[in-house]
Amino acid sequence: MAFISFLRNFANSINKNDSIIGFDAKRIVRNGTGLGSYGRTLVNSLALAMPDTSLLLYAPDEGNVDLRKQVSTLPNLRFVYPNGKVYHLPVISRLMRDWWRTKGVVDDLKRDGVRLFHGLSGELPKGLRKNGIQGMMTVHDLIFLRHPEFYNPIDVFLYKRKFYASLAEADRIMAISECTKRDILAYSNYPQDRISVIYQSCGTRFKTVACQQKKDEVRNHYLLPDHYILSVGTIEERKNALLVVKALTCDALRNENLVLVGRQTDYARRVVIPFIHKMNLEKRVHILQGVPNDDLPAIYQMATCFVYPSRYEGFGIPVIEAVQSGLPVVAATGSCLEEAGGPDGIYVDPDDHEALAAAVIKAVEEAVPRVERSMEYIRRFEQAETSKCVIEEYNRLLVGR
């Protein structure tokens, strides 16, 4: 409570009489994890810390009712949707809502008196600068530029076009990691002094230890083995799940099981699952998808080690969730995962499955001191600190501080 009071006093430096902040809320109402979680967590904390500032969430439609319910019902926080029958007509409604989000919303921002618009998912609408509305943009990653091979060429073209158009509207950029900041500078001429690194926040629900009854229910429901390595994330090429499956073929892990939690893609069906069958690993690899959020903490907490072999991430929330769950972490080098996990995680080449197997053994043997130090390291990602930094960025734009 003391910290919330501090945040409120800090936020009061923004003039409450002429400060209405708008947000791109598409992902807030549509994405259950990732960008959606980032947006919901951030606006909820900002609404609590800035009670005298109106925070308007501009979404092209109402999206998912369960996700909307995760947004606080505080009086200074509300959704705004496009008006007009044209946005609800069959066939063209999708095109019109897309147009509204990329350009038409600016008229609504002017109508509502918005002075600052925050693009929470790396995009800003065209016309902000022309209409005197300041633009803030959170950039999570530039994977489509760094690793275009993971995308459809048409998607790469569209993502690049949106990114560079948004740069022209952005007065400041928030990068969620030093890695992302380096990529922004490498792939654009955006001024370095207008980019701030503000780490993505992570909730603390994984710190709450699941009761034994819950763990037993989860273990029985998913038929989990007594001991297992855990990896969480969409089973796609970039996430590199094949590496940890290959590690099971090493002598060091010959008695170990693996639980993969994540949506299966064509990569999973075409590459990962055939390899599992080829190496007769069916009884040792357990693939779960569609796992409810309420079951995830127990699945984390019953594991012996967390492995995240992704070739590239903008941040890596699962790494932090694993540390909060009391797990040692082994992750891949090459992006921001060292930033997320800190110096007591172990990081290996994303193509070296033998190194990964050895790292798992080392991480488990040294679990207690590594987890203790990692717990201390990840405190920097607590939401209250993130809110303070974001409010400071708003101050820079709204009152020139």
Side-chain angles (χ1 to χ4, degrees):
M1 292 301 295
F3 198 86
I4 292 297
S5 297
F6 168 77
L7 275 180
R8 287 179 174 175
N9 292 333
F10 185 82
N12 282 340
S13 58
I14 296 179
N15 188 330
K16 68 180 180 181
N17 295 319
D18 61 0
S19 290
I20 301 175
I21 300 175
F23 299 84
D24 176 6
K26 175 183 176 180
R27 306 296 179 184
I28 286 177
V29 299
R30 291 190 185 178
N31 290 44
T33 58
L35 298 179
S37 295
Y38 168 79
R40 288 186 296 273
T41 304
L42 180 60
V43 299
N44 284 341
S45 64
L46 290 176
L48 189 63
M50 307 169 72
D52 297 320
T53 301
S54 294
L55 308 179
L56 306 183
L57 309 180
Y58 291 84
D61 52 45
E62 293 184 347
N64 184 290
V65 62
D66 291 330
L67 298 180
R68 286 203 316 277
K69 287 181 179 178
Q70 294 178 28
V71 176
S72 299
T73 56
L74 295 171
N76 62 326
L77 184 64
R78 67 180 176 88
F79 284 98
V80 180
Y81 306 106
N83 287 322
K85 294 182 180 179
V86 68
Y87 294 105
H88 306 284
L89 292 174
V91 182
I92 66 171
S93 61
R94 168 66 186 276
L95 292 175
M96 288 303 300
R97 288 195 295 269
D98 287 347
W99 175 85
W100 178 83
R101 180 169 176 258
T102 59
K103 188 173 182 180
V105 67
V106 174
D107 288 335
D108 291 348
L109 300 179
K110 291 171 58 182
R111 175 200 65 201
D112 297 335
V114 171
R115 292 187 58 211
L116 167 64
F117 186 79
H118 188 164
L120 296 171
S121 55
E123 297 180 47
L124 287 173
K126 296 179 182 178
L128 288 180
R129 191 177 295 276
K130 179 181 178 180
N131 287 278
I133 300 171
Q134 301 203 70
M136 173 81 73
M137 180 168 67
T138 297
V139 178
H140 297 261
D141 61 65
L142 294 180
I143 301 173
F144 57 92
L145 291 173
R146 178 66 71 181
H147 290 288
E149 67 273 17
F150 296 141
Y151 294 86
N152 180 298
I154 295 176
D155 288 340
V156 172
F157 171 79
L158 293 175
Y159 294 155
K160 288 173 64 175
R161 185 175 180 180
K162 285 183 180 180
F163 173 65
Y164 290 117
S166 296
L167 289 183
E169 302 289 349
D171 292 285
R172 288 198 67 82
I173 288 177
M174 289 166 40
I176 66 166
S177 68
E178 291 289 348
C179 177
T180 297
K181 179 179 178 179
R182 290 194 298 270
D183 281 354
I184 295 170
L185 295 174
Y187 289 100
S188 77
N189 59 359
Y190 196 84
Q192 182 172 347
D193 62 358
R194 287 163 54 191
I195 305 173
S196 296
V197 175
I198 300 179
Y199 287 116
Q200 184 172 345
S201 62
C202 185
T204 58
R205 69 187 184 95
F206 284 85
K207 286 186 174 181
T208 302
V209 178
C211 67
Q212 190 58 49
Q213 180 181 351
K214 178 65 174 179
K215 290 180 179 179
D216 291 341
E217 289 175 357
V218 168
R219 189 184 298 278
N220 292 333
H221 179 74
Y222 297 105
L223 302 178
L224 298 176
D226 291 338
H227 300 279
Y228 58 88
I229 301 166
L230 176 66
S231 188
V232 177
T234 303
I235 305 176
E236 60 184 350
E237 184 176 2
R238 174 173 61 87
K239 298 288 188 180
N240 199 25
L242 183 62
L243 186 75
V244 63
V245 176
K246 284 183 176 180
L248 293 185
T249 66
C250 297
D251 287 342
L253 299 182
R254 62 182 178 276
N255 296 319
E256 190 58 84
N257 298 287
L258 169 66
V259 173
L260 295 174
V261 179
R263 179 176 58 86
Q264 294 188 37
T265 64
D266 179 64
Y267 165 78
R269 294 182 286 270
R270 179 174 47 84
V271 177
V272 178
I273 294 176
F275 183 85
I276 291 171
H277 292 312
K278 177 182 177 181
M279 304 305 294
N280 298 315
L281 296 171
E282 295 92 340
K283 293 183 178 180
R284 297 173 57 200
V285 180
H286 307 259
I287 300 178
L288 312 178
Q289 60 179 342
V291 175
N293 285 334
D294 288 345
D295 290 347
L296 268 179
I299 293 175
Y300 269 94
Q301 291 165 21
M302 290 188 292
T304 57
C305 183
F306 184 78
V307 178
Y308 204 57
S310 180
R311 294 183 179 279
Y312 190 93
E313 294 292 327
F315 189 55
I317 284 288
V319 168
I320 298 173
E321 293 173 344
V323 174
Q324 291 176 335
S325 300
L327 296 181
V329 171
V330 177
T333 58
S335 60
C336 70
L337 297 180
E338 293 96 331
E339 288 183 69
D344 286 286
I346 301 178
Y347 308 94
V348 301
D349 187 292
D351 291 308
D352 192 340
H353 67 280
E354 292 182 349
L356 187 143
V360 168
I361 297 301
K362 180 179 177 66
V364 172
E365 289 176 347
E366 302 173 356
V368 173
R370 285 185 179 275
V371 171
E372 287 179 353
R373 292 191 295 264
S374 294
M375 284 278 198
E376 181 65 28
Y377 175 83
I378 65 170
R379 287 184 182 178
R380 67 193 65 197
F381 306 125
E382 289 180 357
Q383 180 56 32
E385 288 293 331
T386 300
S387 300
K388 176 180 178 293
C389 294
V390 172
I391 292 170
E392 187 173 36
E393 291 300 302
Y394 292 166
N395 265 315
R396 287 187 180 188
L397 292 179
L398 292 175
V399 295
R401 295 181 59 178

